[in-house]
Short mmCIF file of all heavy atoms in Angstrom, two decimals:
data_model
loop_
_atom_site.label_atom_id
_atom_site.label_comp_id
_atom_site.label_asym_id
_atom_site.label_seq_id
_atom_site.Cartn_x
_atom_site.Cartn_y
_atom_site.Cartn_z
N MET P 1 0.81 -1.19 0.00
CA MET P 1 0.00 0.00 0.00
C MET P 1 0.86 1.26 0.00
O MET P 1 0.47 2.25 -0.60
CB MET P 1 -0.92 0.00 1.21
CG MET P 1 -2.08 -0.95 1.07
SD MET P 1 -3.34 -0.76 2.34
CE MET P 1 -2.47 -1.29 3.77
N ARG P 2 1.98 1.19 0.69
CA ARG P 2 2.84 2.37 0.73
C ARG P 2 3.24 2.80 -0.68
O ARG P 2 3.17 3.98 -1.01
CB ARG P 2 4.09 2.10 1.58
CG ARG P 2 4.98 3.31 1.68
CD ARG P 2 6.24 3.02 2.51
NE ARG P 2 6.97 4.22 2.79
CZ ARG P 2 7.70 4.91 1.90
NH1 ARG P 2 7.77 4.50 0.66
NH2 ARG P 2 8.34 6.01 2.25
N GLU P 3 3.65 1.85 -1.48
CA GLU P 3 4.09 2.16 -2.84
C GLU P 3 2.96 2.84 -3.63
O GLU P 3 3.19 3.84 -4.30
CB GLU P 3 4.52 0.87 -3.55
CG GLU P 3 4.97 1.07 -4.97
CD GLU P 3 5.33 -0.25 -5.64
OE1 GLU P 3 5.87 -1.14 -4.95
OE2 GLU P 3 5.07 -0.38 -6.83
N LEU P 4 1.77 2.31 -3.53
CA LEU P 4 0.63 2.89 -4.24
C LEU P 4 0.33 4.30 -3.73
O LEU P 4 0.05 5.21 -4.51
CB LEU P 4 -0.61 2.01 -4.05
CG LEU P 4 -0.55 0.64 -4.72
CD1 LEU P 4 -1.69 -0.24 -4.20
CD2 LEU P 4 -0.60 0.76 -6.23
N ARG P 5 0.39 4.48 -2.42
CA ARG P 5 0.12 5.79 -1.83
C ARG P 5 1.16 6.82 -2.26
O ARG P 5 0.82 7.94 -2.66
CB ARG P 5 0.09 5.66 -0.30
CG ARG P 5 -0.15 6.98 0.42
CD ARG P 5 -0.13 6.82 1.92
NE ARG P 5 1.10 6.28 2.44
CZ ARG P 5 2.23 6.97 2.59
NH1 ARG P 5 2.30 8.24 2.25
NH2 ARG P 5 3.31 6.39 3.10
N VAL P 6 2.42 6.43 -2.21
CA VAL P 6 3.50 7.36 -2.56
C VAL P 6 3.42 7.74 -4.04
O VAL P 6 3.65 8.90 -4.40
CB VAL P 6 4.88 6.75 -2.19
CG1 VAL P 6 6.02 7.56 -2.77
CG2 VAL P 6 5.01 6.63 -0.68
N GLU P 7 3.07 6.78 -4.90
CA GLU P 7 2.93 7.06 -6.33
C GLU P 7 1.92 8.17 -6.57
O GLU P 7 2.04 8.94 -7.52
CB GLU P 7 2.48 5.82 -7.09
CG GLU P 7 3.56 4.79 -7.30
CD GLU P 7 3.04 3.53 -7.96
OE1 GLU P 7 1.84 3.49 -8.37
OE2 GLU P 7 3.81 2.56 -8.05
N ARG P 8 0.91 8.24 -5.73
CA ARG P 8 -0.15 9.24 -5.90
C ARG P 8 0.07 10.50 -5.06
O ARG P 8 -0.79 11.37 -5.02
CB ARG P 8 -1.50 8.62 -5.55
CG ARG P 8 -1.89 7.57 -6.56
CD ARG P 8 -3.24 7.02 -6.24
NE ARG P 8 -3.56 5.97 -7.18
CZ ARG P 8 -4.64 5.97 -7.93
NH1 ARG P 8 -5.51 6.94 -7.85
NH2 ARG P 8 -4.85 4.98 -8.77
N HIS P 9 1.21 10.56 -4.37
CA HIS P 9 1.56 11.74 -3.56
C HIS P 9 0.50 12.03 -2.51
O HIS P 9 0.05 13.16 -2.34
CB HIS P 9 1.79 12.97 -4.44
CG HIS P 9 2.76 12.72 -5.54
ND1 HIS P 9 4.12 12.63 -5.33
CD2 HIS P 9 2.58 12.50 -6.87
CE1 HIS P 9 4.72 12.38 -6.48
NE2 HIS P 9 3.82 12.30 -7.43
N ILE P 10 0.10 10.98 -1.79
CA ILE P 10 -0.91 11.09 -0.75
C ILE P 10 -0.26 10.77 0.58
O ILE P 10 0.54 9.83 0.68
CB ILE P 10 -2.07 10.12 -1.04
CG1 ILE P 10 -2.73 10.47 -2.37
CG2 ILE P 10 -3.09 10.13 0.09
CD1 ILE P 10 -3.70 9.42 -2.86
N THR P 11 -0.61 11.51 1.61
CA THR P 11 -0.05 11.26 2.94
C THR P 11 -0.80 10.14 3.65
O THR P 11 -1.94 9.81 3.29
CB THR P 11 -0.12 12.52 3.82
OG1 THR P 11 -1.49 12.83 4.08
CG2 THR P 11 0.58 13.72 3.16
N GLN P 12 -0.17 9.62 4.67
CA GLN P 12 -0.84 8.60 5.49
C GLN P 12 -2.07 9.20 6.16
O GLN P 12 -3.10 8.53 6.28
CB GLN P 12 0.12 8.04 6.54
CG GLN P 12 1.18 7.16 5.95
CD GLN P 12 2.12 6.61 7.00
OE1 GLN P 12 2.36 7.22 8.04
NE2 GLN P 12 2.69 5.45 6.72
N ARG P 13 -1.99 10.43 6.56
CA ARG P 13 -3.12 11.10 7.19
C ARG P 13 -4.30 11.19 6.22
O ARG P 13 -5.45 10.94 6.60
CB ARG P 13 -2.73 12.49 7.67
CG ARG P 13 -3.94 13.29 8.18
CD ARG P 13 -3.55 14.66 8.59
NE ARG P 13 -3.16 14.57 9.99
CZ ARG P 13 -2.64 15.56 10.67
NH1 ARG P 13 -2.40 16.71 10.10
NH2 ARG P 13 -2.34 15.41 11.93
N GLU P 14 -4.02 11.55 4.98
CA GLU P 14 -5.10 11.64 3.97
C GLU P 14 -5.75 10.28 3.74
O GLU P 14 -6.97 10.19 3.61
CB GLU P 14 -4.55 12.21 2.67
CG GLU P 14 -4.17 13.67 2.75
CD GLU P 14 -3.40 14.16 1.55
OE1 GLU P 14 -2.56 13.40 1.00
OE2 GLU P 14 -3.62 15.33 1.15
N MET P 15 -4.94 9.23 3.69
CA MET P 15 -5.50 7.89 3.51
C MET P 15 -6.35 7.49 4.71
O MET P 15 -7.42 6.91 4.55
CB MET P 15 -4.39 6.86 3.29
CG MET P 15 -3.75 6.92 1.93
SD MET P 15 -4.89 6.82 0.53
CE MET P 15 -5.80 5.34 0.89
N ALA P 16 -5.87 7.81 5.89
CA ALA P 16 -6.63 7.49 7.10
C ALA P 16 -7.98 8.22 7.09
O ALA P 16 -9.02 7.62 7.39
CB ALA P 16 -5.83 7.86 8.34
N GLU P 17 -7.97 9.48 6.70
CA GLU P 17 -9.22 10.24 6.63
C GLU P 17 -10.16 9.63 5.60
O GLU P 17 -11.36 9.52 5.85
CB GLU P 17 -8.93 11.70 6.30
CG GLU P 17 -8.30 12.46 7.44
CD GLU P 17 -7.88 13.86 7.08
OE1 GLU P 17 -8.15 14.33 5.93
OE2 GLU P 17 -7.26 14.53 7.93
N PHE P 18 -9.63 9.23 4.46
CA PHE P 18 -10.45 8.60 3.43
C PHE P 18 -11.13 7.34 3.96
O PHE P 18 -12.30 7.09 3.69
CB PHE P 18 -9.58 8.26 2.20
CG PHE P 18 -10.26 7.37 1.21
CD1 PHE P 18 -11.23 7.88 0.36
CD2 PHE P 18 -9.94 6.03 1.12
CE1 PHE P 18 -11.86 7.05 -0.56
CE2 PHE P 18 -10.57 5.20 0.22
CZ PHE P 18 -11.54 5.71 -0.63
N LEU P 19 -10.40 6.56 4.74
CA LEU P 19 -10.91 5.30 5.27
C LEU P 19 -11.73 5.48 6.55
O LEU P 19 -12.39 4.54 7.00
CB LEU P 19 -9.76 4.33 5.55
CG LEU P 19 -9.01 3.84 4.32
CD1 LEU P 19 -7.76 3.08 4.74
CD2 LEU P 19 -9.90 2.98 3.44
N GLY P 20 -11.68 6.67 7.14
CA GLY P 20 -12.42 6.92 8.37
C GLY P 20 -11.78 6.28 9.59
O GLY P 20 -12.47 5.85 10.51
N ILE P 21 -10.44 6.21 9.57
CA ILE P 21 -9.70 5.64 10.70
C ILE P 21 -8.63 6.64 11.13
O ILE P 21 -8.39 7.64 10.45
CB ILE P 21 -9.04 4.29 10.32
CG1 ILE P 21 -8.07 4.46 9.15
CG2 ILE P 21 -10.11 3.25 9.99
CD1 ILE P 21 -7.31 3.21 8.75
N ASN P 22 -8.00 6.36 12.26
CA ASN P 22 -6.93 7.28 12.68
C ASN P 22 -5.64 6.95 11.94
O ASN P 22 -5.48 5.87 11.38
CB ASN P 22 -6.76 7.30 14.21
CG ASN P 22 -6.31 5.99 14.78
OD1 ASN P 22 -5.39 5.35 14.25
ND2 ASN P 22 -6.92 5.57 15.87
N THR P 23 -4.74 7.91 11.94
CA THR P 23 -3.48 7.77 11.19
C THR P 23 -2.68 6.58 11.67
O THR P 23 -2.10 5.85 10.86
CB THR P 23 -2.64 9.06 11.30
OG1 THR P 23 -3.44 10.16 10.84
CG2 THR P 23 -1.38 8.97 10.47
N ARG P 24 -2.64 6.35 12.97
CA ARG P 24 -1.87 5.21 13.50
C ARG P 24 -2.40 3.88 12.97
O ARG P 24 -1.62 2.99 12.66
CB ARG P 24 -1.88 5.24 15.03
CG ARG P 24 -1.07 4.12 15.64
CD ARG P 24 0.42 4.29 15.32
NE ARG P 24 1.13 3.11 15.74
CZ ARG P 24 2.03 2.45 15.01
NH1 ARG P 24 2.35 2.88 13.81
NH2 ARG P 24 2.62 1.38 15.47
N ALA P 25 -3.70 3.75 12.87
CA ALA P 25 -4.28 2.51 12.34
C ALA P 25 -3.83 2.30 10.89
O ALA P 25 -3.46 1.19 10.51
CB ALA P 25 -5.81 2.55 12.42
N TYR P 26 -3.82 3.38 10.12
CA TYR P 26 -3.37 3.25 8.73
C TYR P 26 -1.89 2.89 8.68
O TYR P 26 -1.47 2.06 7.88
CB TYR P 26 -3.64 4.53 7.92
CG TYR P 26 -3.21 4.33 6.50
CD1 TYR P 26 -4.02 3.63 5.61
CD2 TYR P 26 -1.97 4.76 6.04
CE1 TYR P 26 -3.61 3.37 4.31
CE2 TYR P 26 -1.55 4.51 4.76
CZ TYR P 26 -2.37 3.82 3.90
OH TYR P 26 -1.94 3.56 2.62
N GLN P 27 -1.09 3.48 9.54
CA GLN P 27 0.33 3.15 9.59
C GLN P 27 0.53 1.67 9.89
O GLN P 27 1.45 1.04 9.35
CB GLN P 27 1.04 4.01 10.64
CG GLN P 27 1.15 5.46 10.26
CD GLN P 27 1.61 6.34 11.41
OE1 GLN P 27 1.48 5.99 12.58
NE2 GLN P 27 2.14 7.51 11.07
N CYS P 28 -0.32 1.13 10.72
CA CYS P 28 -0.25 -0.30 11.02
C CYS P 28 -0.58 -1.15 9.80
O CYS P 28 0.00 -2.22 9.61
CB CYS P 28 -1.18 -0.65 12.18
SG CYS P 28 -0.59 -0.08 13.78
N TYR P 29 -1.48 -0.69 8.95
CA TYR P 29 -1.77 -1.39 7.70
C TYR P 29 -0.51 -1.45 6.85
O TYR P 29 -0.14 -2.50 6.33
CB TYR P 29 -2.86 -0.70 6.89
CG TYR P 29 -4.25 -0.72 7.45
CD1 TYR P 29 -5.25 0.06 6.87
CD2 TYR P 29 -4.61 -1.50 8.55
CE1 TYR P 29 -6.54 0.05 7.35
CE2 TYR P 29 -5.90 -1.50 9.04
CZ TYR P 29 -6.87 -0.72 8.43
OH TYR P 29 -8.16 -0.72 8.90
N GLU P 30 0.13 -0.30 6.68
CA GLU P 30 1.33 -0.25 5.84
C GLU P 30 2.48 -1.04 6.45
O GLU P 30 3.29 -1.60 5.73
CB GLU P 30 1.77 1.20 5.60
CG GLU P 30 0.94 1.90 4.55
CD GLU P 30 1.55 3.21 4.09
OE1 GLU P 30 2.69 3.55 4.47
OE2 GLU P 30 0.87 3.90 3.31
N GLY P 31 2.56 -1.05 7.76
CA GLY P 31 3.63 -1.77 8.44
C GLY P 31 3.36 -3.25 8.61
O GLY P 31 4.15 -3.97 9.17
N ASP P 32 2.21 -3.69 8.13
CA ASP P 32 1.79 -5.08 8.21
C ASP P 32 1.63 -5.55 9.65
O ASP P 32 1.77 -6.73 9.95
CB ASP P 32 2.75 -5.98 7.44
CG ASP P 32 2.06 -7.21 6.85
OD1 ASP P 32 0.83 -7.18 6.71
OD2 ASP P 32 2.75 -8.19 6.55
N ASP P 33 1.34 -4.60 10.55
CA ASP P 33 1.07 -4.94 11.95
C ASP P 33 -0.42 -5.20 12.17
O ASP P 33 -0.80 -5.73 13.21
CB ASP P 33 1.50 -3.79 12.87
CG ASP P 33 2.99 -3.51 12.79
OD1 ASP P 33 3.76 -4.49 12.63
OD2 ASP P 33 3.38 -2.34 12.87
N ARG P 34 -1.22 -4.78 11.22
CA ARG P 34 -2.67 -4.88 11.32
C ARG P 34 -3.22 -5.03 9.91
O ARG P 34 -2.65 -4.51 8.96
CB ARG P 34 -3.17 -3.60 11.97
CG ARG P 34 -4.59 -3.56 12.33
CD ARG P 34 -4.83 -2.27 13.11
NE ARG P 34 -6.24 -2.11 13.35
CZ ARG P 34 -6.76 -1.09 13.97
NH1 ARG P 34 -5.98 -0.12 14.41
NH2 ARG P 34 -8.05 -1.00 14.15
N ARG P 35 -4.34 -5.71 9.77
CA ARG P 35 -4.95 -5.92 8.46
C ARG P 35 -6.29 -5.21 8.38
O ARG P 35 -7.07 -5.25 9.34
CB ARG P 35 -5.15 -7.40 8.20
CG ARG P 35 -3.86 -8.20 8.34
CD ARG P 35 -3.78 -9.29 7.33
NE ARG P 35 -2.68 -10.21 7.53
CZ ARG P 35 -1.41 -9.95 7.29
NH1 ARG P 35 -1.06 -8.77 6.90
NH2 ARG P 35 -0.48 -10.87 7.46
N PRO P 36 -6.56 -4.57 7.25
CA PRO P 36 -7.86 -3.89 7.11
C PRO P 36 -9.00 -4.91 7.02
O PRO P 36 -8.81 -6.02 6.51
CB PRO P 36 -7.72 -3.12 5.80
CG PRO P 36 -6.59 -3.74 5.07
CD PRO P 36 -5.70 -4.39 6.08
N ASN P 37 -10.17 -4.52 7.49
CA ASN P 37 -11.33 -5.39 7.35
C ASN P 37 -11.77 -5.40 5.88
O ASN P 37 -11.22 -4.67 5.05
CB ASN P 37 -12.46 -4.98 8.30
CG ASN P 37 -13.04 -3.61 7.98
OD1 ASN P 37 -12.97 -3.11 6.86
ND2 ASN P 37 -13.63 -2.99 8.98
N TYR P 38 -12.74 -6.21 5.58
CA TYR P 38 -13.18 -6.40 4.20
C TYR P 38 -13.59 -5.08 3.55
O TYR P 38 -13.16 -4.78 2.42
CB TYR P 38 -14.34 -7.39 4.16
CG TYR P 38 -14.92 -7.57 2.78
CD1 TYR P 38 -14.26 -8.35 1.84
CD2 TYR P 38 -16.10 -6.94 2.42
CE1 TYR P 38 -14.77 -8.50 0.56
CE2 TYR P 38 -16.61 -7.09 1.15
CZ TYR P 38 -15.95 -7.87 0.22
OH TYR P 38 -16.46 -8.01 -1.04
N GLU P 39 -14.38 -4.28 4.24
CA GLU P 39 -14.86 -3.02 3.66
C GLU P 39 -13.71 -2.07 3.36
O GLU P 39 -13.69 -1.42 2.31
CB GLU P 39 -15.88 -2.35 4.60
CG GLU P 39 -17.20 -3.06 4.70
CD GLU P 39 -17.19 -4.26 5.63
OE1 GLU P 39 -16.23 -4.43 6.43
OE2 GLU P 39 -18.14 -5.06 5.55
N LYS P 40 -12.77 -1.99 4.26
CA LYS P 40 -11.61 -1.10 4.04
C LYS P 40 -10.72 -1.63 2.91
O LYS P 40 -10.20 -0.86 2.12
CB LYS P 40 -10.80 -0.97 5.33
CG LYS P 40 -11.56 -0.45 6.52
CD LYS P 40 -11.62 1.02 6.56
CE LYS P 40 -12.15 1.55 7.87
NZ LYS P 40 -13.59 1.64 7.97
N LEU P 41 -10.58 -2.94 2.84
CA LEU P 41 -9.78 -3.55 1.79
C LEU P 41 -10.37 -3.25 0.41
O LEU P 41 -9.66 -2.86 -0.52
CB LEU P 41 -9.67 -5.05 2.02
CG LEU P 41 -8.70 -5.82 1.15
CD1 LEU P 41 -7.27 -5.32 1.36
CD2 LEU P 41 -8.78 -7.30 1.48
N VAL P 42 -11.67 -3.38 0.28
CA VAL P 42 -12.35 -3.08 -0.98
C VAL P 42 -12.23 -1.59 -1.29
O VAL P 42 -11.97 -1.20 -2.44
CB VAL P 42 -13.82 -3.54 -0.94
CG1 VAL P 42 -14.59 -3.03 -2.14
CG2 VAL P 42 -13.90 -5.06 -0.86
N ALA P 43 -12.38 -0.74 -0.29
CA ALA P 43 -12.25 0.70 -0.49
C ALA P 43 -10.84 1.05 -0.99
O ALA P 43 -10.68 1.88 -1.89
CB ALA P 43 -12.57 1.46 0.80
N LEU P 44 -9.83 0.41 -0.41
CA LEU P 44 -8.45 0.65 -0.85
C LEU P 44 -8.24 0.19 -2.29
O LEU P 44 -7.62 0.89 -3.09
CB LEU P 44 -7.47 -0.07 0.08
CG LEU P 44 -7.28 0.55 1.45
CD1 LEU P 44 -6.62 -0.43 2.41
CD2 LEU P 44 -6.45 1.82 1.34
N ALA P 45 -8.75 -0.97 -2.62
CA ALA P 45 -8.61 -1.49 -3.98
C ALA P 45 -9.29 -0.56 -4.98
O ALA P 45 -8.72 -0.25 -6.03
CB ALA P 45 -9.20 -2.90 -4.08
N ASP P 46 -10.48 -0.10 -4.64
CA ASP P 46 -11.18 0.84 -5.53
C ASP P 46 -10.42 2.15 -5.66
O ASP P 46 -10.27 2.69 -6.75
CB ASP P 46 -12.60 1.10 -5.01
CG ASP P 46 -13.53 -0.07 -5.19
OD1 ASP P 46 -13.20 -1.01 -5.94
OD2 ASP P 46 -14.61 -0.05 -4.56
N PHE P 47 -9.95 2.67 -4.54
CA PHE P 47 -9.23 3.94 -4.54
C PHE P 47 -7.99 3.87 -5.42
O PHE P 47 -7.73 4.77 -6.22
CB PHE P 47 -8.84 4.33 -3.11
CG PHE P 47 -8.13 5.65 -3.02
CD1 PHE P 47 -8.85 6.82 -2.95
CD2 PHE P 47 -6.75 5.70 -3.01
CE1 PHE P 47 -8.19 8.05 -2.88
CE2 PHE P 47 -6.08 6.92 -2.93
CZ PHE P 47 -6.81 8.10 -2.87
N PHE P 48 -7.21 2.81 -5.25
CA PHE P 48 -5.96 2.68 -6.00
C PHE P 48 -6.15 2.02 -7.37
O PHE P 48 -5.20 1.87 -8.12
CB PHE P 48 -4.94 1.87 -5.19
CG PHE P 48 -4.41 2.61 -3.99
CD1 PHE P 48 -4.56 2.09 -2.72
CD2 PHE P 48 -3.75 3.81 -4.14
CE1 PHE P 48 -4.05 2.75 -1.61
CE2 PHE P 48 -3.24 4.50 -3.04
CZ PHE P 48 -3.40 3.96 -1.77
N GLN P 49 -7.37 1.61 -7.66
CA GLN P 49 -7.70 0.98 -8.93
C GLN P 49 -6.84 -0.26 -9.18
O GLN P 49 -6.24 -0.43 -10.24
CB GLN P 49 -7.60 1.97 -10.09
CG GLN P 49 -8.57 3.11 -9.96
CD GLN P 49 -8.46 4.13 -11.05
OE1 GLN P 49 -7.40 4.30 -11.67
NE2 GLN P 49 -9.55 4.84 -11.31
N VAL P 50 -6.78 -1.09 -8.15
CA VAL P 50 -6.07 -2.37 -8.22
C VAL P 50 -7.00 -3.45 -7.69
O VAL P 50 -8.03 -3.16 -7.09
CB VAL P 50 -4.75 -2.36 -7.40
CG1 VAL P 50 -3.77 -1.34 -7.93
CG2 VAL P 50 -5.02 -2.14 -5.92
N SER P 51 -6.62 -4.70 -7.89
CA SER P 51 -7.44 -5.79 -7.38
C SER P 51 -7.14 -6.03 -5.90
O SER P 51 -6.05 -5.69 -5.41
CB SER P 51 -7.16 -7.08 -8.16
OG SER P 51 -5.86 -7.56 -7.88
N VAL P 52 -8.09 -6.60 -5.21
CA VAL P 52 -7.88 -7.00 -3.83
C VAL P 52 -6.75 -8.02 -3.77
O VAL P 52 -5.91 -7.98 -2.86
CB VAL P 52 -9.18 -7.55 -3.20
CG1 VAL P 52 -8.92 -8.18 -1.84
CG2 VAL P 52 -10.23 -6.45 -3.09
N ASP P 53 -6.69 -8.92 -4.75
CA ASP P 53 -5.60 -9.90 -4.80
C ASP P 53 -4.24 -9.22 -4.82
O ASP P 53 -3.29 -9.68 -4.19
CB ASP P 53 -5.74 -10.82 -6.01
CG ASP P 53 -6.79 -11.89 -5.82
OD1 ASP P 53 -7.19 -12.14 -4.66
OD2 ASP P 53 -7.20 -12.50 -6.82
N TYR P 54 -4.12 -8.13 -5.55
CA TYR P 54 -2.86 -7.40 -5.59
C TYR P 54 -2.52 -6.85 -4.21
O TYR P 54 -1.39 -6.96 -3.73
CB TYR P 54 -2.91 -6.28 -6.63
CG TYR P 54 -1.64 -5.49 -6.69
CD1 TYR P 54 -0.54 -5.97 -7.38
CD2 TYR P 54 -1.51 -4.25 -6.06
CE1 TYR P 54 0.65 -5.26 -7.44
CE2 TYR P 54 -0.34 -3.53 -6.10
CZ TYR P 54 0.76 -4.05 -6.79
OH TYR P 54 1.93 -3.35 -6.84
N LEU P 55 -3.52 -6.26 -3.56
CA LEU P 55 -3.27 -5.67 -2.23
C LEU P 55 -2.84 -6.71 -1.21
O LEU P 55 -2.01 -6.41 -0.35
CB LEU P 55 -4.53 -4.96 -1.73
CG LEU P 55 -4.85 -3.61 -2.34
CD1 LEU P 55 -6.14 -3.07 -1.74
CD2 LEU P 55 -3.72 -2.63 -2.16
N ILE P 56 -3.40 -7.90 -1.29
CA ILE P 56 -3.05 -8.91 -0.27
C ILE P 56 -1.89 -9.78 -0.69
O ILE P 56 -1.52 -10.71 0.01
CB ILE P 56 -4.28 -9.77 0.12
CG1 ILE P 56 -4.82 -10.57 -1.06
CG2 ILE P 56 -5.37 -8.90 0.74
CD1 ILE P 56 -5.93 -11.53 -0.69
N GLY P 57 -1.31 -9.49 -1.85
CA GLY P 57 -0.11 -10.20 -2.27
C GLY P 57 -0.33 -11.50 -3.00
O GLY P 57 0.59 -12.28 -3.17
N HIS P 58 -1.56 -11.75 -3.46
CA HIS P 58 -1.84 -12.98 -4.20
C HIS P 58 -1.65 -12.83 -5.69
O HIS P 58 -1.79 -13.80 -6.43
CB HIS P 58 -3.27 -13.46 -3.91
CG HIS P 58 -3.41 -14.06 -2.56
ND1 HIS P 58 -4.58 -14.60 -2.12
CD2 HIS P 58 -2.54 -14.23 -1.55
CE1 HIS P 58 -4.43 -15.05 -0.90
NE2 HIS P 58 -3.19 -14.84 -0.53
N SER P 59 -1.34 -11.62 -6.15
CA SER P 59 -1.14 -11.37 -7.57
C SER P 59 -0.14 -10.24 -7.73
O SER P 59 -0.09 -9.32 -6.93
CB SER P 59 -2.46 -11.00 -8.25
OG SER P 59 -2.24 -10.62 -9.58
N ASP P 60 0.65 -10.33 -8.79
CA ASP P 60 1.57 -9.24 -9.11
C ASP P 60 0.96 -8.26 -10.08
O ASP P 60 1.51 -7.20 -10.33
CB ASP P 60 2.86 -9.82 -9.74
CG ASP P 60 3.69 -10.60 -8.73
OD1 ASP P 60 3.57 -10.32 -7.52
OD2 ASP P 60 4.42 -11.50 -9.15
N GLN P 61 -0.19 -8.61 -10.64
CA GLN P 61 -0.88 -7.72 -11.57
C GLN P 61 -1.79 -6.79 -10.81
O GLN P 61 -2.62 -7.23 -10.02
CB GLN P 61 -1.69 -8.53 -12.59
CG GLN P 61 -0.84 -9.32 -13.55
CD GLN P 61 -1.70 -10.02 -14.58
OE1 GLN P 61 -2.89 -10.24 -14.39
NE2 GLN P 61 -1.07 -10.35 -15.68
N ARG P 62 -1.62 -5.52 -11.07
CA ARG P 62 -2.43 -4.53 -10.38
C ARG P 62 -3.86 -4.63 -10.86
O ARG P 62 -4.80 -4.41 -10.24
CB ARG P 62 -1.92 -3.12 -10.64
CG ARG P 62 -0.60 -2.88 -9.94
CD ARG P 62 -0.14 -1.48 -10.11
NE ARG P 62 1.05 -1.25 -9.33
CZ ARG P 62 1.55 -0.06 -9.09
NH1 ARG P 62 0.99 1.00 -9.57
NH2 ARG P 62 2.64 0.06 -8.37
#
């Protein structure tokens, strides 16, 4: 997720606001300390225009 976020010049705070979570929770997503729930995962995939499989590492194709 970090790579996708940085490509779009978006801050962690902006992503957290988009998802309706606090910045620390989003940082945990990027740090792989915490996993987003289904709704947040789909929202991230839609936002970045990639597949959920790509986000969870099951595919190399965006």
